[in-house]
Amino acid sequence: MSDLRDDPSPEAAFLRDLVRAEEADLPSTDKMNELVARLSPAISRPPASASRAKLAISMAVVVVAVAGAWLSTSSSSGIDHENVSAPPSIAPVATVAAPAERAPTPAVVVEGAPSLPSIDVTALPTTTSSARPSRVVVPRSTACAGEVALLDQARAALGSGDAARALSLTREHAARCPSGAFTQERERIAIESLAKLGRLDEMRSRAQAFERNFPASPHLRRIERLVEKYRMR
Amino acid sequence: MTSVRRSPTSALRSLDSTQDLDIVAIVREHGPYVHRLLRRLGVAPADVDDAFQEVFVVVHRKLDSFQRKSSIRGWVYGICVRVGVRHRRRRAARQEVPGAVDELAGTAPTPEATFRTVEARRLLDSFLDKLDDDKRAVFVLYELEGMPMQDVAAMTNCALPTAYSRLRLAREVVFDAIRRFQTEKDFK
């Protein structure tokens, strides 16, 4: 079956135009930063393997059971409730969902419980928010202020036929945002600008570099078409 | 250079699959395309951000088991397909149709999106909405994302002839929708 791009039918041509226009509709840098920030809590710690997670859960169950048994024994044996003993098992109960390495070993709980010292409830430390980061720090390596506006200008210049200005703006982008989030978009604009300016050797070598650096890029198809178009010139 | 089209034998493929398996780098490199792919797969605009989170949480969790013989992109896209289908079914089970918020989320122009881009997206979505999940996934991955059909079959968990058959049927449906659209436009 032939590709859509080889199909000569008017429907295929219409669809190709549509896809070409829609291809640029990618989330902005700000949007990506927001998504990464939302994602950060979930990806900032190493993933727990299934076996470790299972171990953590079973340990937590044991901790809860032992702590429950210990508490019921304490209350039935007439312990003064103003003076609440603070077995280490109480705090870990709250860490059931925590990573495996933080789960306490049952041995500590079982052996430690009977000989624990009593602590007055007022002497217990209050919880602080320092255990959890208050805000997620977005890695700044790829964020670049004004990147989107700069590329918008470049795109507009190219669209209006001013390829020289578009190329110059992509150079500016490369200098200001060497590891920006829209490097591929910049390269695409630069390659198209070079083609329009008739600097075909430069265009070809830059296209090859693009393929080398971004082999999975969705822009490749468009760049390939461009290279094909200028192949015989 | 005669072509810059990616090929399975390209030396670049190994670059894609063996270097830098840092999760943040993967999100940065593939995130924008994952976001667009989820929308192309029919995830409601209001759900795309949640689906995006889900995809990369799965990627993070399974990164250790990633088979480096395939490309990261193909692997991540396979996860997108599964997450996308789940979101669509979840929404269908709630019998929800895209509402006002979705419409806004779906059409509000981003700084990058020109009116033409937004309009193209809206039209493309309307054509793709005619397809069921299976055909839509094959059509989007092959025609819009340019994935090789072998990979598409693997990602959509079907045999290669089935994938080709779905593509053929999907094209018929989409082309028919385009013809209807053009007829209506001409009539007006």
Side-chain angles (χ1 to χ4, degrees), chain B residues 37-58:
Chain B
L37 174 62
L38 287 165
R39 214 193 51 241
R40 284 175 164 179
L41 288 170
V43 175
D47 295 341
V48 171
D49 285 3
D50 288 343
F52 179 94
Q53 302 290 315
E54 229 175 292
V55 167
F56 283 107
V57 167
V58 174

Side-chain angles (χ1 to χ4, degrees), chain B residues 162-181:
Chain B
T162 309
Y164 274 114
S165 164
R166 285 177 184 170
L167 177 65
R168 187 177 51 78
L169 294 169
R171 268 195 198 172
E172 284 173 14
V173 172
V174 171
F175 282 18
D176 187 50
I178 291 173
R179 276 190 293 271
R180 278 170 197 271
F181 166 77

Side-chain angles (χ1 to χ4, degrees), chain B residues 132-153:
Chain B
D132 63 35
D133 287 343
D134 292 336
K135 292 189 198 75
R136 183 170 187 149
V138 170
F139 187 84
V140 166
L141 290 168
Y142 184 79
E143 298 287 24
L144 274 54
E145 300 291 342
M147 301 298 291
M149 195 50 116
Q150 288 276 9
D151 293 359
V152 173

